[in-house]
Amino acid sequence: MSSSQLIKKFDTDFTNEVIEYGSKFFEDVENVRSCIQCATCTGSCPSGRETAWRVRKLIRQVQLGLKNAAIKNDVIWDCTTCFSCQERCPRLIPVTDVVRTVRNIAVRNGIMLPRHVQVAGLLIKYGHAVPINDETKAVRKEIGLSELPPTVHSFPDALGEVKKLLDGTGFTKLIEEASKGVQK
Amino acid sequence: MSDNKRGRIGVFVCHCGHNIAGVVDVQAVIDEISKLPDVYCVDHVYMCSKSGLNLIKEKVAEEKLDKVVIAACTPKLHEKLFQKTLEEAGLNRYLLSQANIREQCSWVHKANPRKATLKAIDLTKMAVAKARLLQEQGKVEVPVEKAVLVVGGGVAGITAALNLADLGHKVYLVEREPSIGGHMAMLDKVFPTRDCSICILGPLMVEVGRHPNIELITYAEVTKASGWIGNFEVEITKHPRFIKEDECTGCGVCAEFCPVEVPSEFDQNLGTRKAVYLPFPQAVPLVYTIDPEHCIGCRACEAVCEREAVDLSQKEEKIKVKVGAILIATGYETFNPAEKRNLGYGVFKNVVTALELERMLSPSGPTMGEVVRPSDGVTPKRIVFVQCVGSRDESVGRTYCSRVCCTYAVKQALELKERIPGAEVYIFYQDMRTFGKGFEELYREALRERVRFVRGLVSKVVEDGKTRNLIVRAEDTLLGVPVEAEADLVVLSVGMVPSKGTERLLFVLNVPVSEEGFVMEAHPKLRPVETQIPGIFVAGCAQGPKDIQDSVAQANAAASKISALLSRGVVELEPYVPIVDGEVCIRCGLCVAACDKDVLKLDKERGVEVKGVGCVGCGACAGACPTGAIQISLLSDEMIRAQIDAVLEEKKEYPLVVGFLCNWCAYNAADMAGVAKIQYPTNMRAIWVPCTGRVNPLLILEALEKGADGVLVLGCYPQDCHYRTGFDKAKRRVESLRELLRVAGIDPRRVRIESMAASEGKKLAVVVKEFVEELKKLPVLGGELVRVAEARR
């Protein structure tokens, strides 16, 4: 990609989207505009030491409005949300909250990692992100507990209610579409 | 309105290029103002330009104008210039009234040109209304005390003191520490030339010590001040040093025998000194000091001093001086890096500040010029500099750049390279700002000498417990790679913060400061060495972070300004005289009680009388008077009332707010909002007052009665009040008024009093916005007034 092409992709809409959407959940998201790329964030990042995740670059992409570059890059899921960057940012940018906001926008655009789609599928089906298996059942029995915990596993009606909630919020549909993408 | 008697008023509306005309429809203002019967109105692109000023002079003659209104920028900028123009046109300078349609209008209402234009019309009408009542004032000239007080004996204070003394002025130089020299005396080499700091400062210090026109008062602080430009009375408290200054020769035998060793402040606690000490060998005056905090009273010093200079009975001394001007040169302190816990200062021994390194580099320092690791005294081989510690960092409340750290780090890196063969030096930075003359060349030299620059701030320093080496973590942003460097020594490039001494002094002198705590200049570009208090000047880092070159330049500028004042011999004061109408005065004495300056006297027969000079024009008397019998010449009740009427005869906004803005804080805050282009609603019409204490509650009531939806009284923080108690008085009056309003059935939320600093443009904008929002939620005031009237019946 030549640099002139890149500049054409600059789009303040995405910057505004991150600030507006993020501000529904977090404080001071608009501070993202004053980032000067000092890199205290990446320097603090325990994930970045092991992976290709550069939180500073995400902030840059948000500032420049590079939406696709930001949300389509799998590395945004490598953040462990430890908040070290947010804790130390000299410009008081809620860095981790910006990461979480961008992830939310990615998901709303149907962009998820296959393993997340998988886990979400389990939640929809069983009401548990990690449903019980035979092994756990055996252990529970061995230590004197009921085979199934007192959750939706024991109350099928309640599972129905969970499903209703997930349908109502549009979660089920989102995951269905995403899983089509994963299959592709 | 008897126009014929009052004559014609010329209204000059300035475009200020696009600054005003880009938002305000100047022609509409002219059309509207021209409708006034006694007015001649004309515009100009730049009223402050030569042709603009000539236009004023021409029109005064041609149109036979008696008074002049200028609708332009804030009067704080060009009032003096326009006053002078009036004089050149043959008018008394006090026949000028200004409408601030730039800072208070076009700059802060960009998104709403229509309403901004309406507001500009109102502001101009208010100025015209005030102008109608203006009267000629005589000149008040007082002699200037031919002496100056310089507070702070760093390089700025020293430079200014010598300059002034050479010009023949008497200088009192007050220094808090036992010796003059300031931070510059602590430095080894100075950039960009890398010459020895004390070698260039030392001779100047000596000269200060022996200059016949300089009275050096060290180990002392300014504790009280009163008076005004040309005539300040200052109390200096000199701490006892328990050594007779006239007797001590600085031989140092006392220190040799003193058994007490404590960390040396001058050496940044890296070395030690005795309880009787000289902070450094080149100290001026060359006089020892006994530190009472650590002295155990063994009197060994007394026994060995041949000159019998030790005097343990010395007491604190109060020195009173009279001066015509005061220079604040109180310098800075370095940022305390312990506030940045991720950097390990104070926890890991081998993390030091740049000033500590500077003391190590100094041949007369605690290590005699050897750079060593504090943990084991070993010479470090790999040294990492951490930039921007306490600068550009909102997380510690320091938003500004300290301007010297980039270049001093480069200088220190070069020193280390030279003194430690094979040393590796890294500088972790976010931007290299080597902006001054010769600085970039130094940066280039450092690159050539293989100092390694890494673009990325240090996020964390951790210690290897065994080796006491440090692991520095950061990202090299130019590579996009997280990096770790193992260092023997980490140097924190700490920024500059206002010194605690400055803070106290500013409180004593009542000088406004910026948000960061540095002294605010009268104008950031055009009047950089004057403070907002006439007769008080500033130089060096008390005004903001700067290097030695800039400090010296500023000190020279301040000296020249002060010299001009002292040489003139007289100073013109604003004609502040209270005027009492004996017929109206009911002899209640409230004004006498309100006056802090003891200018008024109550005579049961004749009413209140003005005795002598000393009035500072705060107007607290007029603010207290229940009958309007006492007035101040610069702003009478009638002038305030005329402005209120001018706005409310045709209400152009809903809700409409009348604001009373104190000259010292709130008015400046509004100007700051203008300069910073902080946008806020157009609803307020501001009336300038010398102090909120001037605001008579009856005038607030009048504004409401005539149709204002709310009244804002905006002044200083109580402790910053230029007249000490003005804001407190205003606060009490407004609080009582609100209670009265509540009882009368008028929502007290319609009147609000707020404090703000001169630098708080943002706060002013927020206060106005919130007030307008609140007023919008209230029912219209008319209903309340009708109910009050009905209840009265």
Side-chain angles (χ1 to χ4, degrees), chain B residues 130-144:
Chain B
K130 185 178 174 186
R132 288 193 185 110
L133 298 162
L134 291 173
Q135 290 178 350
E136 292 193 3
Q137 305 277 347
K139 279 187 182 178
V140 182
E141 279 190 346
V142 293
V144 171

Side-chain angles (χ1 to χ4, degrees), chain B residues 198-345:
Chain B
I198 197 71
C199 311
I200 54 175
L201 183 69
L204 298 180
M205 291 165 59
V206 172
E207 213 182 320
V208 165
R210 59 165 197 221
H211 202 297
N213 286 341
I214 298 179
E215 190 172 326
L216 181 57
I217 307 169
T218 51
Y219 213 43
E221 280 162 275
V222 172
T223 39
K224 265 185 207 163
S226 61
W228 53 89
I229 179 168
N231 296 275
F232 291 103
E233 280 185 41
V234 182
E235 179 196 88
I236 298 157
T237 302
K238 188 166 167 53
H239 306 301
R241 66 199 316 158
F242 303 110
I243 303 274
K244 292 178 202 155
E245 291 188 12
D246 301 337
E247 295 298 328
C248 177
T249 59
C251 72
V253 174
C254 52
E256 258 171 58
F257 284 86
C258 176
V260 185
E261 246 183 49
V262 292
S264 155
E265 301 84 355
F266 189 83
D267 283 336
Q268 300 297 299
N269 299 330
L270 288 176
T272 58
R273 62 163 171 83
K274 295 294 183 66
V276 55
Y277 70 107
L278 196 65
F280 56 103
Q282 301 87 344
V284 171
L286 194 66
V287 171
Y288 276 70
T289 301
I290 295 177
D291 155 17
E293 206 185 313
H294 296 103
C295 172
I296 53 170
C298 71
R299 294 177 176 250
C301 49
E302 204 174 10
V304 296
C305 181
E306 286 178 5
R307 309 265 305 182
E308 295 181 357
V310 177
D311 176 7
L312 293 172
S313 69
Q314 254 182 19
K315 294 271 176 319
E316 193 176 87
E317 200 186 331
K318 304 272 185 204
I319 303 166
K320 292 219 159 95
V321 298
K322 285 184 96 176
V323 293
I326 298 173
L327 175 64
I328 302 169
T330 43
Y332 68 97
E333 275 171 25
T334 50
F335 172 78
N336 175 9
E339 280 183 47
K340 299 279 304 168
R341 292 173 58 182
N342 49 326
L343 300 179
Y345 180 79

Side-chain angles (χ1 to χ4, degrees), chain B residues 382-394:
Chain B
R382 191 185 282 144
I383 301 126
V384 168
F385 283 83
V386 181
Q387 296 305 107
C388 294
V389 179
S391 301
R392 306 175 73 193
D393 188 343
E394 293 171 45

Side-chain angles (χ1 to χ4, degrees), chain B residues 684-733:
Chain B
M684 182 170 74
R685 304 292 183 266
I687 295 174
W688 171 92
V689 288
C691 168
T692 47
R694 165 66 188 91
V695 182
N696 194 309
L698 295 171
L699 291 165
I700 299 177
L701 278 181
E702 238 182 280
L704 293 175
E705 203 173 0
K706 286 175 174 165
D709 301 291
V711 174
L712 274 177
V713 180
L714 305 178
C716 308
Y717 289 105
Q719 68 272 22
D720 297 340
C721 175
H722 186 65
Y723 308 103
R724 306 280 168 192
T725 58
F727 183 81
D728 291 332
K729 284 171 192 144
K731 177 108 182 156
R732 272 201 307 278
R733 288 175 193 153

